[in-house]
Amino acid sequence: MADIICRWRNGTPKTVVELVNSMPHEVLTSERFRNIMSTKWDGDFFRTPYQLACQLGLYYESEEGYFFPRFDHDITTEEAENYLFHWLPRYYIPNPYISKKGFSNIDCPTFFLRTLYEFVREHPNCDYHDACLACFKEEAKNNDDIIRNYINNYSRILTFSPQGKLNVTDIDPLTVFITMDRTDKKSFFDIFNNEQKNIMRPIEESLQQIYYGAPGTGKSFAINKVCAQYENYRTTFHPDTDYAAFVGSYKPITVRVPVYGIQGTKLRDEEGKTILEDRIVYRYIFQSFLKAYIAAWREQQNENPKPVFLIIEEINRGNCAQIFGDIFQLLDRNEAGFSDYPIVADDDLAQELKRVLGDFNIVSAENINALYKGGKDVVVQVKSGSHLLLPNNLYIWATMNTSDQSLFPIDSAFKRRWDWKYIKIKDAEKGYRITFSNGHQYDWWQFISAINAEIEGGEIQQEDKKLGYFFAKACDGKISAETFVSKVLFYLYNDVFKDFGLEEAFFKDEDGETMIFTSYFDNLGKVEESRVERFLKNLKLLPIESNEDKTDILDSEDDDFEDDELGNNKSGRDFTKYAINDEGKYGKKHIASTIIGKYVEQHPDMSADEVVSKWKTLGNIVSHFVETQTEYDSRTDLPESRRVDKIECNGKTIYVMRISS
């Protein structure tokens, strides 16, 4: 048989289910297996259906006389469809079930989908029949309708027009690429095992991606979580960054060299030591790109090369077209993760690279060379330094603040070569607090939420002007008033609201006058903390418990929570502290939730409903004093969250109303 794929039936999920579920699901002797299949198929299985089952990798028979099934259970249509999706990119010809005479005039093996994809990429909008003939010769004519079915339904990387024209999609064709023996049935069977990681990439991550979002969302932190365990090189782009600063160039450097006398001998001091002097010489200096590039190729000397990361912070703060130059071409990667198009290095760089790479022994050189047409030894070209080629273990990741996107706009051609990962603004749950010397503390996430709501809902309405959780650095979880003014207020006044005026209510002082930026400093340039608190109050924020537990001051938005100049309470509220069983020091409003919380700890086997029922027997001390999740959710007069404490009890939440001071 010399067909690409058996013509018995279309390889649909229905056909796969029929074949799989008719076969045994355990290892048997070949004789036993064949007897079972002859009975189930009335002797017809080994006439034609078995050919499709073999080519689909649904089973194989070893030379030792055993049958090995693909599945150990009856499968569903959905399982069959998923199998076909991962089978097609890995299928190659000639395979062990095609006669040795079949496809004798094409490269062996030829990965079916990849070969067709590469042809279509070079010949967009080509005729389907012409493409098949060019890729698979005359043999493909026997069943190109069957092939078309596979491409249409399972390729994901090729599309058909109604006129039968082929084009590629934007999906990266990730396929297995290993050297195969076309007569090895075991290897053919194994290649379709989805549990095996035969792909050439070291990790399942995008090779080139840009993390973008508002400032302070943790983009660099997210990258570092992945790459910290691997070799990595960081650089930051800025308006003066150029090709030489990113890649490398000859630079003058100072070296210490011996001083020679007239006779050409080294001069020595009184102690006999050679006299040295500083001299300026020119040397080729590798910058971050070449350092990462060399490190990645060094790893290719190992059978399992580890990832190497080149991390570019603030990528849009530099002129990417100028900085990348001809390296831009290398960003096109093939399905195995290597650059599609090697570029020629200049003579100076080639000379320097040869010194470093020349002795490298690249383990997968044969597989890498097979990725490129023309029979050239691209690995030798890389080692000689004559050509640059990104290996598949070099990951280039970058960050971009959306608020800075106007500095150097990134053109669409550059954007297409990257995957984009949006980092949204969210509560990092670090418990950061804005702190003041009078003991007041404000929840940082509540502030972030409040100010972002004003930015989003006001005149600005620009997503890229919002603040992320890590916009300001906290020290031991605290953000001081000075840090808040210098980082946050400075940004809000100068970058966010500057062009829209300061008419919003949260910029007004107690007299209704606008607080300009200098309003937050006294005559000596020291931060006026009362003004900063006024700004937070204007955003409807309330203090949380401070180190001195003075937050019982606030139980309503109308309270005057200012202390006098000596820090004494002016609100007239009760700050008495209470002990429970002679332990602790608790404000009045948290007594109830503290007691019930301790009760839950002492009765770990009680459900939330049982605890609530127990405490309700005390009578109606406070309206809705203690409630279950269901009772709380059913209310239409829900209190503000600061008036309710939540207690977790065996996977459910108990709500306890705070007692007013």
Side-chain angles (χ1 to χ4, degrees):
M1 181 182 68
D3 290 342
I4 289 180
I5 194 74
C6 177
R7 282 196 60 85
W8 174 66
R9 289 185 195 171
N10 263 331
T12 63
K14 180 180 178 181
T15 299
V16 173
V17 168
E18 180 182 13
L19 288 171
V20 169
N21 294 352
S22 71
M23 289 188 287
H25 297 316
E26 65 275 357
V27 178
L28 301 174
T29 63
S30 292
E31 182 180 5
R32 175 69 175 148
F33 162 66
R34 287 176 171 267
N35 289 337
I36 291 173
M37 297 309 291
S38 293
T39 301
K40 285 190 175 182
W41 286 78
D42 295 327
D44 287 338
F45 182 78
F46 290 100
R47 292 182 182 177
T48 303
Y50 86 97
Q51 294 176 348
L52 181 60
C54 289
Q55 291 180 349
L56 290 175
L58 300 179
Y59 82 94
Y60 93 97
E61 291 180 87
S62 70
E63 294 180 358
E64 292 77 20
Y66 287 92
F67 155 82
F68 292 87
R70 168 69 57 202
F71 296 94
D72 62 1
H73 61 281
D74 282 357
I75 64 173
T76 64
T77 301
E78 183 180 4
E79 286 179 284
E81 185 171 7
N82 289 336
Y83 180 75
L84 285 169
F85 271 120
H86 92 257
W87 166 83
L88 183 62
R90 307 180 189 190
Y91 178 68
Y92 67 85
I93 54 173
N95 68 53
Y97 303 97
I98 290 177
S99 68
K100 292 184 179 180
K101 295 180 181 179
F103 297 95
S104 58
N105 60 339
I106 67 172
D107 293 337
C108 178
T110 295
F111 283 86
F112 163 72
L113 186 59
R114 191 191 69 200
T115 302
L116 198 57
Y117 173 85
E118 289 177 349
F119 180 87
V120 176
R121 187 173 58 181
E122 294 179 7
H123 304 84
N125 207 38
C126 60
D127 183 78
Y128 162 65
H129 298 286
D130 293 341
C132 278
L133 183 62
C135 293
F136 310 118
K137 316 307 177 188
E138 291 292 329
E139 288 90 339
K141 289 184 176 181
N142 294 336
N143 52 11
D144 61 1
D145 56 330
I146 304 283
I147 299 170
R148 178 170 182 155
N149 169 66
Y150 286 112
I151 296 171
N152 250 336
N153 292 309
Y154 313 115
S155 78
R156 298 178 179 171
I157 63 173
L158 293 173
T159 60
F160 273 102
S161 72
Q163 295 76 32
K165 301 293 183 180
L166 279 176
N167 282 288
V168 300
T169 68
D170 292 331
I171 298 176
D172 181 27
L174 183 63
T175 63
V176 174
F177 186 81
I178 54 178
T179 301
M180 303 297 300
D181 178 357
R182 56 90 81 228
T183 65
D184 189 338
K185 295 182 179 181
K186 176 68 163 60
S187 294
F188 184 79
F189 177 80
D190 286 343
I191 200 174
F192 305 118
N193 182 356
N194 224 20
E195 295 179 359
Q196 292 188 165
K197 298 297 181 182
N198 285 328
I199 59 176
M200 295 180 72
R201 297 186 189 176
I203 59 175
E204 288 293 332
E205 290 282 356
S206 172
L207 290 164
Q208 289 148 198
Q209 60 181 324
I210 294 176
Y211 286 66
Y212 70 102
T217 49
K219 298 178 288 295
S220 297
F221 180 79
I223 287 178
N224 197 55
K225 281 203 304 184
V226 178
C227 73
Q229 61 184 305
Y230 302 112
E231 190 169 358
N232 61 81
Y233 298 83
R234 285 183 180 271
T235 187
T236 301
F237 282 2
H238 53 81
D240 287 334
T241 305
D242 58 13
Y243 183 89
F246 179 54
V247 180
S249 66
Y250 277 103
K251 295 180 66 176
I253 64 171
T254 301
V255 296
R256 303 212 78 192
V257 297
V259 177
Y260 290 88
I262 298 175
Q263 291 79 21
T265 59
K266 295 179 182 179
L267 298 183
R268 301 181 183 278
D269 60 19
E270 296 176 353
E271 298 177 356
K273 295 180 180 179
T274 301
I275 298 175
L276 303 175
E277 67 175 356
D278 291 335
R279 186 173 297 173
I280 295 177
V281 298
Y282 279 84
R283 183 175 297 170
Y284 201 99
I285 304 300
F286 294 145
Q287 301 295 351
S288 55
F289 172 79
L290 285 177
K291 289 177 181 178
Y293 176 83
I294 292 169
W297 277 111
R298 183 180 295 112
E299 276 293 328
Q300 289 289 333
Q301 296 180 104
N302 302 317
E303 188 170 340
N304 296 305
K306 295 179 181 179
V308 174
F309 285 84
L310 172 60
I311 303 159
I312 304 170
E313 301 281 6
E314 312 284 357
I315 190 170
N316 60 318
R317 292 185 63 83
N319 186 335
C320 289
Q322 171 187 311
I323 296 170
F324 275 82
D326 55 353
I327 289 175
F328 172 82
Q329 189 74 24
L330 298 179
L331 299 180
D332 278 323
R333 308 275 195 118
N334 57 35
E335 64 271 19
F338 292 82
S339 294
D340 257 329
Y341 311 106
I343 63 173
V344 177
D346 63 53
D347 292 341
D348 289 338
L349 177 56
Q351 179 178 289
E352 297 297 327
L353 287 175
K354 183 177 181 180
R355 292 176 184 173
V356 180
L357 305 177
D359 294 330
F360 283 7
N361 179 27
I362 307 303
V363 173
S364 299
E366 182 181 347
N367 288 344
I368 297 171
N369 287 332
L371 294 169
Y372 302 91
K373 295 180 178 179
K376 295 180 181 179
D377 193 332
V378 296
V379 173
V380 167
Q381 292 176 337
V382 168
K383 292 169 61 177
S384 71
S386 65
H387 288 71
L388 291 173
L389 171 69
L390 299 186
N392 68 340
N393 63 322
L394 179 54
Y395 293 78
I396 306 177
W397 289 7
T399 65
M400 186 180 86
N401 276 339
T402 49
S403 60
D404 296 331
Q405 61 185 330
S406 62
L407 292 176
F408 283 98
I410 297 178
D411 62 62
S412 58
F414 191 81
K415 286 180 178 178
R416 284 199 306 272
R417 285 156 173 82
W418 301 79
D419 290 325
W420 294 75
K421 190 167 186 177
Y422 177 65
I423 306 298
K424 66 179 293 185
I425 299 171
K426 61 182 179 181
D427 184 2
E429 299 181 347
K430 298 289 186 181
Y432 289 173
R433 299 182 176 190
I434 308 166
T435 63
F436 295 88
S437 58
N438 62 7
H440 293 170
Q441 297 186 19
Y442 294 79
D443 184 85
W444 171 247
W445 175 244
Q446 287 183 6
F447 164 73
I448 291 293
S449 301
I451 196 63
N452 284 342
E454 296 292 345
I455 294 173
E456 184 177 38
E459 292 185 39
I460 300 176
Q461 296 184 351
Q462 293 181 22
E463 177 78 17
D464 57 15
K465 294 295 184 182
K466 292 181 178 180
L467 283 69
Y469 192 91
F470 299 101
F471 186 90
K473 275 193 174 182
C475 181
D476 293 329
K478 299 176 182 179
I479 298 172
S480 67
E482 289 77 10
T483 299
F484 186 83
V485 172
S486 64
K487 292 286 187 181
V488 180
L489 290 180
F490 184 79
Y491 172 70
L492 294 175
Y493 273 81
N494 288 277
D495 292 317
V496 182
F497 292 96
K498 181 178 181 180
D499 297 328
F500 297 88
L502 305 174
E503 300 305 317
E504 288 81 359
F506 50 87
F507 284 121
K508 306 301 181 182
D509 62 15
E510 57 275 9
D511 298 323
E513 299 294 326
T514 298
M515 294 188 293
I516 60 177
F517 187 68
T518 56
S519 302
Y520 298 98
F521 301 88
D522 62 18
N523 293 334
L524 299 177
K526 186 178 179 181
V527 170
E528 286 272 16
E529 293 192 1
S530 61
R531 285 300 181 100
V532 181
E533 279 206 80
R534 169 58 60 183
F535 180 83
L536 297 176
K537 282 176 59 179
N538 290 343
L539 289 170
K540 308 300 183 185
L541 299 184
L542 299 169
I544 54 179
E545 289 187 5
S546 68
N547 290 335
E548 282 120 14
D549 266 332
K550 288 180 62 176
T551 51
D552 284 323
I553 299 171
L554 291 171
D555 268 324
S556 77
E557 294 180 0
D558 297 327
D559 286 337
D560 178 5
F561 60 88
E562 293 182 354
D563 292 347
D564 61 21
E565 295 179 357
L566 298 177
N568 298 317
N569 169 37
K570 293 170 56 181
S571 66
R573 304 192 65 81
D574 179 10
F575 297 117
T576 305
K577 301 302 175 186
Y578 300 86
I580 300 175
N581 293 334
D582 294 325
E583 294 181 358
K585 187 179 179 183
Y586 307 97
K588 181 192 294 184
K589 68 179 181 180
H590 292 300
I591 291 178
S593 60
T594 303
I595 293 174
I596 295 178
K598 288 180 177 293
Y599 184 83
V600 169
E601 292 177 2
Q602 295 168 1
H603 300 82
D605 296 330
M606 291 185 69
S607 67
D609 290 345
E610 289 172 332
V611 172
V612 170
S613 177
K614 181 75 173 179
W615 281 89
K616 278 188 175 180
T617 60
L618 293 176
N620 192 17
I621 302 173
V622 178
S623 179
H624 305 289
F625 164 58
V626 58
E627 295 178 313
T628 62
Q629 176 83 57
T630 302
E631 292 171 333
Y632 183 80
D633 290 343
S634 66
R635 290 173 56 189
T636 59
D637 58 336
L638 287 177
E640 297 181 39
S641 60
R642 67 177 183 276
R643 297 184 184 277
V644 177
D645 287 329
K646 300 177 184 178
I647 300 171
E648 295 302 315
C649 178
N650 288 322
K652 292 188 177 181
T653 303
I654 296 173
Y655 292 81
V656 182
M657 181 68 72
R658 295 178 184 175
I659 302 173
S660 309
S661 299

